[in-house]
Amino acid sequence: MAAKGGNQKSRKGDPMRTKNGKERLGPLNVAQLEKLLTSARKKTVSKIQRRITVLKNRPGYRAQVVTE
């Protein structure tokens, strides 16, 4: 049986990505998700939009109102 990858001790994981390289959307807020949505791949757009709706439907969510 072959050994696992040789760089497992020295590799530092990115906290914003999973081990497969996919984005972690959990710790992001709505503004960060909307920014990510502009540059997202077509494959992940629906996942990001679904996360935005989940966050906006939570009790206690307040949209930032810009007053000039």
Side-chain angles (χ1 to χ4, degrees), residues 15-57:
M16 293 306 296
R17 295 195 179 271
T18 63
K19 69 176 186 175
N20 296 326
K22 297 179 182 178
E23 298 92 1
R24 289 188 198 270
L25 301 180
L28 300 177
N29 62 25
V30 175
Q32 292 169 327
L33 287 170
E34 288 173 347
K35 184 179 176 186
L36 181 65
L37 189 61
T38 60
S39 64
R41 295 174 56 191
K42 185 178 177 184
K43 183 177 182 179
T44 60
V45 167
S46 61
K47 182 178 178 181
I48 296 170
Q49 287 174 336
R50 189 168 49 247
R51 180 66 183 164
I52 290 172
T53 58
V54 165
L55 290 177
K56 285 185 176 181
N57 289 333

